[in-house]
Amino acid sequence: MESLESRLELLERRCRRLQSVTLAALALGALGVGVAVLRPVGASTGGELVASRLTLMDSQGRTRATLSAQEGGEGGLVLHDTQGHPRALLGVDASGSPRLRFATAEGSMLAELTVYSDEAPRLVLGNNGGSEFFSVGLMPDGSSRLELADEDGRPRAILGADEHGAPGLLLVDRKGQPRASLRVSPKDDASLVLEGQDGQVFRAPSSVQ
């Protein structure tokens, strides 16, 4: 009996020792993860937080800001209102185009500024229903364009200038058909074309200034 009791006591001591070693190993593992997340930058005393997603919450546990980077190359900062709805976005899409966007609580775009190909900015304004009613932008070829749309998002007035700087104004009906066109060519020749509902076309003489 004494030998059996001695063996049981020795086995209990070994189990307690094994538990201590396991807890120490877990603590070291957690410390290693913490060191991997918080990496020192150069020789500075500060640190760099490395993560693919960071979420900030208020005292009520509601998400107020999200900073993330996706595998496709997209990344951005999203700001939320007090109800948790995303309302503002500052990000870069997979093509490298930066974008600033504002939306309603339901997700409809109200304003968006995007820069394409490092040289073609475009500003868009929308109504509460999600339709674009105003847009202005510079194209990669150097031409510019301003559009005014109706309540359904259909362009009705288009003002622009081609790559040579020649301006033009085009008015469109609800069916998308051009009804009036005013243009000045690169050689400063002016043209005016009006089209009636019956298909009749009026062209002003080229000498009209």
Side-chain angles (χ1 to χ4, degrees):
M1 289 294 295
E2 292 182 357
S3 177
L4 181 59
E5 291 178 355
S6 299
R7 292 180 179 179
L8 289 175
E9 184 178 356
L10 179 60
L11 182 60
E12 289 178 356
R13 287 199 301 267
R14 290 181 177 178
C15 289
R16 288 194 295 268
R17 188 179 306 159
L18 182 60
Q19 290 177 353
S20 300
V21 172
T22 302
L23 291 176
L26 291 175
L28 289 176
L31 180 60
V33 172
V35 171
V37 173
L38 188 62
R39 299 176 183 174
V41 181
S44 64
T45 58
E48 177 185 0
L49 180 62
V50 178
S52 60
R53 183 180 179 90
L54 178 63
T55 301
L56 300 180
M57 295 185 175
D58 59 17
S59 58
Q60 304 298 321
R62 295 171 297 198
T63 299
R64 300 305 305 273
T66 303
L67 180 63
S68 63
Q70 302 180 11
E71 293 183 359
E74 299 182 358
L77 172 65
V78 179
L79 302 181
H80 303 252
D81 59 18
T82 55
Q83 303 302 318
H85 302 126
R87 300 298 301 274
L89 164 68
L90 175 61
V92 178
D93 62 20
S95 66
S97 300
R99 176 173 300 173
L100 176 62
R101 180 186 178 100
F102 301 97
T104 65
E106 291 75 23
S108 298
M109 184 276 298
L110 293 178
E112 183 176 87
L113 175 62
T114 308
V115 178
Y116 300 99
S117 304
D118 294 332
E119 57 184 356
R122 183 171 186 261
L123 173 64
V124 178
L125 302 180
N127 57 30
N128 194 24
S131 299
E132 299 179 3
F133 67 87
F134 173 87
S135 66
V136 59
L138 179 66
M139 307 302 169
D141 61 359
S143 62
S144 58
R145 185 183 181 96
L146 184 150
E147 291 186 4
L148 298 178
D150 58 20
E151 65 276 7
D152 296 321
R154 294 173 295 201
R156 301 298 302 279
I158 303 171
L159 175 64
D162 61 20
E163 64 274 17
H164 304 291
L169 173 63
L170 180 65
L171 303 181
V172 182
D173 62 17
R174 290 183 176 274
K175 297 179 180 179
Q177 298 298 320
R179 303 300 296 274
S181 174
L182 177 62
R183 185 174 183 271
V184 177
S185 71
K187 296 181 179 181
D188 294 333
D189 295 326
S191 64
L192 173 63
V193 179
L194 303 177
E195 183 175 344
Q197 293 184 353
D198 54 0
Q200 293 183 347
V201 178
F202 168 79
R203 297 180 184 273
S206 59
S207 59
V208 175
Q209 301 296 325

